[in-house]
Amino acid sequence: MFRRGTDGLEVLLGHMGGPFWARKDMGGWSVPKGEYEPDEQPLAAARREFLEELGLPAPEGELIDLGEVRQSSGKVVTAWGVEGDLDPADIVPGTFEMEWPKGSGQLREFPEIDRVAWLDVDAARAKIVAAQRPFLDRLIAAVARAQP
């Protein structure tokens, strides 16, 4: 999701939740994302994951296909941009369970995203997972092409 701020383009990113990301800021932010089933269309999954991760429906609007990237884990992320606005205070993040501390046998619940923020593209470039940086470049180029 993006919006046009007074100082230029801003993107909505979420800081990944859970103990592995708790102390990592740079490289610890991501577009809302998740996995989809073999019989599920990527765009339908993107809308579902937006709702699951943020607790709010994805905005309606003209979609910008931002393509795919492969993260260091091997996970392929497909993304779309859409112009919209929301208040990060309205976010109700989804949760996941994992054994923590590892090997303890105790399952704990963590938010999928522990905070959300609007960031200008320079700040976003510094904070987003490195493999997702091409999404920012593609979004900037698409928005620039669409300007009269």
Side-chain angles (χ1 to χ4, degrees):
M1 179 184 259
F2 70 95
R3 67 183 183 186
R4 298 164 206 261
T6 55
D7 294 331
L9 204 62
E10 297 178 327
V11 295
L12 184 77
L13 296 181
H15 183 268
M16 293 180 276
F20 299 122
W21 299 100
R23 291 184 174 87
K24 185 170 184 162
D25 188 48
M26 301 308 203
W29 294 74
S30 174
V31 297
K33 63 175 180 12
E35 296 184 20
Y36 55 93
E37 302 300 320
D39 63 339
E40 188 176 24
Q41 293 296 314
L43 181 55
R47 290 188 178 283
R48 177 182 50 76
E49 286 292 336
F50 191 99
L51 178 60
E52 288 177 10
E53 289 197 357
L54 303 180
L56 299 169
E60 295 296 323
E62 185 177 337
L63 296 175
I64 300 170
D65 185 346
L66 300 176
E68 296 180 343
V69 297
R70 182 175 302 276
Q71 297 190 159
S72 61
S73 66
K75 182 180 201 175
V76 174
V77 178
T78 306
W80 288 267
V82 63
E83 190 166 5
D85 199 5
L86 61 80
D87 183 345
D90 293 338
I91 300 299
V92 180
T95 60
F96 68 96
E97 277 191 340
M98 68 178 284
E99 181 184 28
W100 191 257
K102 189 175 170 109
S104 69
Q106 296 178 332
L107 284 180
R108 293 195 42 206
E109 188 174 72
F110 298 96
E112 289 190 48
I113 293 176
D114 59 21
R115 61 191 180 272
V116 176
W118 286 104
L119 302 168
D120 66 59
V121 290
D122 290 334
R125 190 177 313 285
K127 291 180 181 267
I128 198 167
V129 172
Q132 293 181 21
R133 287 183 191 138
F135 290 147
L136 297 173
D137 297 330
R138 295 171 193 165
L139 177 65
I140 292 164
V143 170
R145 281 193 304 272
Q147 303 229 343

